């Protein structure tokens, strides 16, 4: 009998020790340490099954950092260090990180990297000056994924400043479930022979009053997205293969949704509803654009043919509700899409894009959404 009681007591103590050990290990696995660079984080196990769609699926595809373990960053110094460290392939942003004046992060000459945000993660810049504005500048990078982040600028001001995020001469980039707010010169621009880009489930908006009186001449420079910097940049011919899918150009956007030079752009299943808009999709020099199954609601000039120098502008199966201005293409059939993509009926676009897990940084982390 004594041995029996001893055995039962021993088993009870052993069970308590096991439970304590399990709880401690679970905390280490799910709660990153509050250090500048920590590898104790949610490993991006879903990344291996996230398959880039659209143009980013071509040219070998876009996988970012793959299944690499994530390095957690919670402040500017750690974020900059992790981005510029070529050996770090997966970065998780937690909380709000503020970019200091002139601290725009240069992300150059790297291959195979993912930057994603946990729920509510935000990167903020408060500088409106020409030289010190901007958040992130990607140049000569390949196979990059940016997901589930809010990029917030200080508001539009026409000083020829920096966009919140710029892609420059970069290939196979997938920007997914991000929100771009209040960029100084623009929210998100793509230039200089960048190619094989997919922008999916992203939201573009301006929430702050634009600052007037800039030397550029526009008192309301809420111009969201520019593709190509100049008609004379002829090296861009044959590049700018870009898909915008299930994105939302929301309140505050005035123009450039996007404004396109050169390239082959597939603008599919997006929602446009900025009541202050002056132009939505703008077809510039040698643009080749397929505008398919989108919803334009309460906007002006859904399709701006500008000076009629586009190569092709094809309008297909879109819904126009309470709009004014041009709604048609230029009569030339656009390029043939070389990839497979689920194209929603336009009647389902608004509800999909504005859903709780729709456009914007609406995910809990680095997870996949079907396309």
């Amino acid at each position: 009998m004594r041995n029996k009681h001893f055995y039962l007591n021993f088993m009870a103590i052993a069970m308590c020790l096991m439970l304590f050990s399990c709880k401690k290990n679970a905390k280490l696995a799910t709660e990153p340490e509050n250090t500048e660079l920590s590898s104790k984080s949610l490993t991006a196990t879903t990344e291996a099954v996230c398959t880039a769609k659209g143009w980013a699926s071509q040219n070998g595809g876009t996988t970012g950092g793959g299944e690499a373990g994530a390095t957690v960053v919670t402040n500017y110094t750690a974020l900059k260090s992790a981005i510029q460290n070529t050996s770090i392939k997966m970065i998780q942003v937690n909380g709000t990180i503020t970019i200091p004046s002139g601290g725009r992060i240069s992300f150059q000459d790297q291959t195979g990297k993912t930057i994603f945000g946990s729920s509510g993660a935000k990167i903020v810049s408060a500088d409106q000056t020409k030289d010190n504005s901007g958040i992130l500048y990607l140049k000569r990078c390949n196979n990059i994924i940016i997901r589930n982040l809010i990029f917030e600028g200080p508001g539009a001001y026409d000083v020829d400043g920096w966009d919140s995020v710029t892609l420059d001469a970069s290939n196979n980039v997938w920007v997914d479930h991000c929100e771009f707010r209040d960029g100084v010169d623009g929210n998100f621009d793509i230039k200089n022979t960048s190619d094989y880009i997919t922008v999916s489930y992203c939201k573009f908006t301006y929430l702050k009053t634009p600052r007037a009186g800039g030397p550029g001449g526009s008192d309301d420079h809420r111009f969201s997205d520019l593709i190509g910097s100049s008609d004379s940049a002829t090296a861009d011919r044959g590049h700018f293969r870009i898909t915008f899918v299930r994105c939302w150009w929301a309140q505050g956007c005035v123009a450039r949704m996007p404004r396109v030079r050169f390239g082959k752009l597939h603008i599919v299943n997006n929602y446009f509803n900025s009541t202050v808009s002056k132009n939505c999709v703008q077809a510039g020099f040698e643009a080749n654009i397929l505008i398919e199954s989108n919803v334009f609601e309460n906007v002006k000039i859904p399709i701006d043919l500008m000076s009629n120098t586009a190569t092709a502008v094809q309008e297909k199966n879109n819904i126009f509700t309470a709009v004014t201005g041009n709604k048609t293409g230029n009569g030339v059939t656009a390029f043939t899409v070389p990839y497979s993509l689920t194209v929603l009926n336009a009647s389902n676009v608004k509800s999909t894009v504005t859903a709780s897990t729709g456009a914007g940084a609406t995910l809990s982390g680095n997870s996949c959404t079907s396309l």
Side-chain angles (χ1 to χ4, degrees):
M1 181 64 92
R2 225 168 131 186
N3 288 339
K4 182 178 179 181
H5 283 304
F6 175 81
Y7 176 77
L8 291 174
N9 288 336
F10 174 81
M11 291 299 295
I13 293 169
M15 289 295 291
C16 288
L17 289 172
M18 289 175 64
L19 287 170
F20 175 79
S21 176
C22 288
K23 287 180 180 179
K24 184 177 179 182
N25 289 337
K27 183 176 182 181
L28 289 174
T30 60
E31 296 181 15
E33 291 179 343
N34 188 21
T35 58
E36 286 190 357
L37 293 177
S38 171
S39 61
K40 295 183 178 72
S41 66
L42 296 173
T43 301
T45 55
T46 58
E47 182 60 32
V49 296
C50 285
T51 303
K53 297 288 188 177
W55 275 116
S57 69
Q58 304 296 287
N59 192 42
T62 304
T63 56
E67 293 185 276
T71 294
V72 176
V73 298
T74 60
N75 60 57
Y76 170 75
T77 301
L79 175 64
K80 182 178 179 180
S81 177
I83 287 176
Q84 296 183 343
N85 186 336
T86 58
S87 66
I88 293 176
K89 297 300 184 180
M90 186 78 61
I91 301 171
Q92 176 179 321
V93 179
N94 284 359
T96 297
I97 294 177
T98 300
I99 305 293
S101 177
R104 180 181 63 257
I105 298 175
S106 178
F107 179 8
Q108 296 191 13
D109 301 301
Q110 293 193 46
T111 298
K113 197 161 194 163
T114 296
I115 307 172
F116 72 95
S118 57
S119 182
K122 184 189 301 185
I123 308 176
V124 178
S125 170
D127 196 301
Q128 280 188 314
T129 63
K130 176 180 179 179
D131 294 328
N132 294 329
S133 53
I135 295 173
L136 186 62
Y137 194 95
L138 288 85
K139 189 170 185 176
R140 296 185 302 271
C141 288
N142 296 281
N143 189 21
I144 305 297
I145 295 174
I146 301 174
R147 176 174 287 127
N148 204 51
L149 282 165
I150 298 170
F151 295 95
E152 181 178 316
Y157 184 37
D158 196 3
V159 291
D160 193 25
W162 292 88
D163 311 297
S164 289
V165 177
T166 303
L167 291 187
D168 184 342
S170 294
N171 296 328
N172 288 91
V173 179
W174 183 12
V175 182
D176 178 55
H177 276 282
C178 289
E179 181 169 341
F180 297 86
R181 305 172 179 169
D182 297 299
V184 175
D185 189 63
N187 278 322
F188 174 47
D189 285 7
I190 302 172
K191 65 179 187 177
N192 289 345
T193 72
S194 291
D195 217 347
Y196 301 107
I197 313 295
T198 294
V199 184
S200 57
Y201 282 106
C202 287
K203 184 177 181 180
F204 306 95
T205 187
Y206 289 87
L207 305 175
K208 299 170 184 175
T209 302
R211 183 176 172 185
S218 172
D219 286 342
D220 190 351
H221 201 273
R222 293 179 290 179
F223 302 162
S224 192
D225 309 290
L226 181 65
I227 313 299
S229 54
S230 170
D231 291 0
S232 63
T234 54
D236 291 335
R237 285 184 179 131
H239 300 282
F240 295 153
R241 283 165 278 207
I242 303 169
T243 304
F244 283 92
V245 55
R246 302 189 193 180
C247 294
W248 183 3
W249 280 273
Q251 286 300 329
C253 294
V254 168
R256 298 181 184 173
M257 305 181 219
R259 194 259 200 237
V260 184
R261 293 179 174 95
F262 305 103
K264 295 179 178 179
L265 269 80
H266 191 193
I267 299 175
V268 54
N269 285 164
N270 303 288
Y271 179 46
F272 303 76
N273 76 327
S274 176
T275 56
V276 300
S277 62
K278 293 182 179 178
N279 320 81
C280 294
V281 179
Q282 295 180 266
F285 186 65
E286 294 186 11
N288 188 340
I289 311 175
L290 174 58
I291 306 169
E292 180 180 11
S293 299
N294 304 280
V295 174
F296 297 87
E297 183 178 276
N298 296 311
V299 297
K300 294 180 180 177
I301 313 183
I303 301 173
D304 184 358
L305 297 177
M306 303 186 76
S307 55
N308 290 305
T309 56
T311 297
V313 183
Q314 181 181 358
E315 182 275 322
K316 180 180 179 182
N317 300 330
N318 298 282
I319 291 176
F320 301 94
T321 303
V323 304
T324 59
N326 185 61
K327 300 182 289 186
T328 63
N330 66 355
V332 180
T333 300
F335 66 96
T336 300
V337 174
Y339 48 78
S340 62
L341 184 71
T342 300
V343 178
L344 301 174
N345 188 293
S347 62
N348 296 321
V349 167
K350 180 178 178 179
S351 61
T352 299
V353 169
T354 61
S356 60
T357 55
T362 59
L363 304 177
S364 59
N366 189 32
S367 55
C368 304
T369 303
S370 62
L371 281 172

